[in-house]
């Protein structure tokens, strides 16, 4: 299995942003205002994955007091990391699409100013999730892989 490449995540983010922007252009006037912290759940997932990554890293490096890692546990962690990084990139694109849409229309629609803040919160949370997922994926390397060339 290969490590997640930044260009793959960038492609997902661009497609997500374009689709979100197109959808908003067609339906924004009929949508309700977004909750201010709509994207914050991604941040909660990012925190959980970061804590899991540090724990798993200690176990993989066989630090004193840490239980050994079962191969299936490490494989599940890699799958979680890959899925989370794609989700984070997709949501970053979607929140960016929203931001690009609401910036010029914030004076025309009363909800657009609130949605602007929600978009920024969502973008930050999506970046945090993507970073946490990439860190989790990195922490799943065996000690032999970490010392070699990538």
């Amino acid at each position: 299995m290969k490590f997640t490449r930044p260009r793959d995540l960038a492609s997902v983010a661009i497609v997500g942003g374009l689709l979100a922007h197109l959808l908003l252009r067609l339906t924004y006037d009929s949508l309700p205002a977004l909750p201010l912290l709509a994207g914050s759940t991604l941040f909660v997932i990012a925190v959980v994955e970061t804590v899991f990554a540090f724990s798993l890293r200690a176990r993989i490096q066989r630090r004193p007091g840490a239980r050994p890692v079962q191969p299936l546990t490490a494989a599940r962690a890699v799958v979680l990391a890959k899925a989370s990084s794609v989700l984070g990139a997709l949501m970053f694109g979607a929140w960016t699409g929203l931001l690009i849409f609401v910036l010029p229309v914030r004076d025309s629609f009363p909800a657009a100013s609130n949605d602007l803040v929600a978009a920024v919160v969502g973008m930050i949370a999506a970046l945090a999730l993507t970073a946490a997922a990439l860190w989790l994926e990195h922490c799943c390397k065996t000690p032999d892989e970490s010392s070699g060339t990538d």
Side-chain angles (χ1 to χ4, degrees), residues 16-66:
L18 291 173
L19 289 174
H21 188 75
L22 177 64
L23 182 65
L24 289 168
R25 290 181 66 88
L26 297 173
T27 63
Y28 187 74
D29 56 346
S30 64
L31 294 175
L34 288 171
L36 187 62
L37 299 175
S40 63
T41 54
L42 298 176
F43 187 73
V44 173
I45 297 169
V47 169
V48 169
E49 284 194 19
T50 302
V51 170
F52 180 50
F54 280 108
S55 169
L56 193 62
R57 183 177 187 211
R59 291 173 59 195
I60 288 174
Q61 293 177 346
R62 295 182 179 96
R63 292 192 183 146

Side-chain angles (χ1 to χ4, degrees), residues 69-147:
V69 177
Q70 298 296 322
L72 190 56
T73 302
R76 287 178 178 162
V78 170
V79 170
L80 173 65
K82 286 188 165 292
S84 295
S85 64
V86 170
L87 173 65
L90 180 66
M91 292 309 298
F92 178 77
W95 287 115
T96 303
L98 173 66
L99 180 70
I100 291 170
F101 179 80
V102 297
L103 270 174
V105 299
R106 66 183 180 267
D107 296 329
S108 304
F109 295 101
S113 295
N114 182 52
D115 290 348
L116 180 74
V117 176
V120 171
V121 169
M123 287 173 63
I124 292 169
L127 279 176
L129 177 60
T130 304
L134 292 174
W135 175 245
L136 176 58
E137 187 176 346
H138 174 77
C139 288
C140 290
K141 288 182 180 180
T142 59
D144 308 10
E145 289 178 316
S146 297
S147 63

